[in-house]
Amino acid sequence: MFAGSPLSIAADSENQDIAFEFLKFTASDFFQEFMWEQHSGVPVVEAASDWASIQELELMEGVLEAAASPWTPRYPWSSSQPRYILQTAVEDALTGGTDAEDALENAQAESEQWLEDR
């Protein structure tokens, strides 16, 4: 369903039939809408685009569109250089090398420069 918290059935599971029923339930519109409305879990079903709770959030259309394809462009903060720029800045602030505001301002400027140079 989602790379961040995958669900699977172990090959040696003693309850594979029950586990499969659970997996089907978690992929249902009912469960997906419950997780969205109660826990802000991004739904992975097509019906989500019709839910009022999704439609009232302007940015969710893009989120669902991106989730519909495994070829979504990578968000630069997730695994590229800006992640390490931010990590270094936060560590510097936490260890007293600089204050938090300066660390974040420097990380922002360095990250923007990195994006421009790509």
Side-chain angles (χ1 to χ4, degrees):
M1 274 182 16
F2 172 65
S5 58
L7 298 174
S8 62
I9 303 170
D12 61 351
S13 172
E14 294 178 15
N15 301 299
Q16 288 188 3
D17 292 340
I18 294 170
F20 185 58
E21 291 302 316
F22 175 76
L23 288 179
K24 289 190 294 186
F25 172 69
T26 63
S28 71
D29 293 353
F30 172 81
F31 183 82
Q32 292 289 306
E33 188 169 14
F34 170 81
M35 291 301 290
W36 163 249
E37 292 181 355
Q38 301 300 315
H39 302 287
S40 300
V42 176
V44 295
V45 293
E46 287 184 43
S49 61
D50 297 328
W51 302 340
S53 57
I54 292 284
Q55 292 177 350
E56 65 190 28
L57 297 174
E58 181 179 330
L59 297 177
M60 282 307 294
E61 180 181 346
V63 170
L64 294 180
E65 184 179 315
S69 169
W71 305 112
T72 303
R74 291 172 59 179
Y75 183 57
W77 290 102
S78 66
S79 60
S80 296
Q81 181 58 26
R83 172 183 177 190
Y84 301 106
I85 294 169
L86 183 60
Q87 179 179 340
T88 301
V90 169
E91 289 172 355
D92 194 31
L94 290 174
T95 58
T98 188
D99 66 40
E101 187 174 334
D102 286 341
L104 291 177
E105 285 177 9
N106 292 338
Q108 181 71 34
E110 190 175 344
S111 296
E112 287 175 4
Q113 185 63 51
W114 178 85
L115 285 169
E116 286 177 22
D117 293 343
R118 286 186 74 185

